[in-house]
Amino acid sequence: LAAWQWLALGRHCRVRGLDFLGRPSTYLRSEGGVVGLLAYNLCESITKEEYDRWLFDVHYHDLMANPHLKMISLRTVCADRKAKLSSGAEVKNEIEFFRLAELHFRDHESYDSYVEWFRQHAIPPPRTPTGRSAFKFYLLTESESITRPGDLR
């Protein structure tokens, strides 16, 4: 069993155990708050270059105007590379998309405040994703990170 040693850093803990080779292993487990996972494709009427120009020059300025959003991380799918599990097996993906945006919030209350803030400060239609983004799913998640002890940020 892993031994847990809570750190004075807040929502982090050090976990000690053994790896599959029988060697001592230590990692840090950190709570990361609430993350909205928004997967999308591009609408057929827009090129990737046009989309990214709108995304970085317009849309992200609008989203970051909301004080309850901590950060946005992007994960663009590598369409020319097939991911494999640690066993070497491939997973048959049931859903495909161009990019996944992670919208980071401190907690569920911050997310609720984010939604309410946009109810009171609606983005004008010409600046919204309508006609640009074809959304596949949007899920709220509670995030955790597993890092090497020297990599805690």
Side-chain angles (χ1 to χ4, degrees), residues 21 40 92 98 109:
L21 298 172
Y40 60 89
K92 183 182 180 313
F98 167 68
E109 292 76 21

Side-chain angles (χ1 to χ4, degrees), residues 62-127:
D62 294 345
L63 292 182
M64 296 306 291
N66 188 316
H68 306 286
L69 177 61
K70 285 185 3 183
M71 177 177 79
I72 301 169
S73 297
L74 296 179
R75 313 289 182 209
T76 301
V77 174
C78 299
D80 60 335
R81 302 288 309 255
K82 182 65 178 166
K84 296 182 180 182
L85 301 172
S86 60
S87 67
E90 292 185 5
V91 173
K92 183 182 180 313
N93 296 322
E94 295 186 20
I95 187 168
E96 305 234 345
F97 49 86
F98 167 68
R99 186 179 282 156
L100 179 79
E102 299 177 359
L103 286 77
H104 294 252
F105 305 92
R106 188 180 66 247
D107 49 32
H108 287 285
E109 292 76 21
S110 293
Y111 173 77
D112 293 341
S113 296
Y114 167 84
V115 171
E116 182 58 32
W117 191 90
F118 275 126
R119 282 191 187 124
Q120 296 174 13
H121 306 87
I123 297 172
R127 298 177 68 96

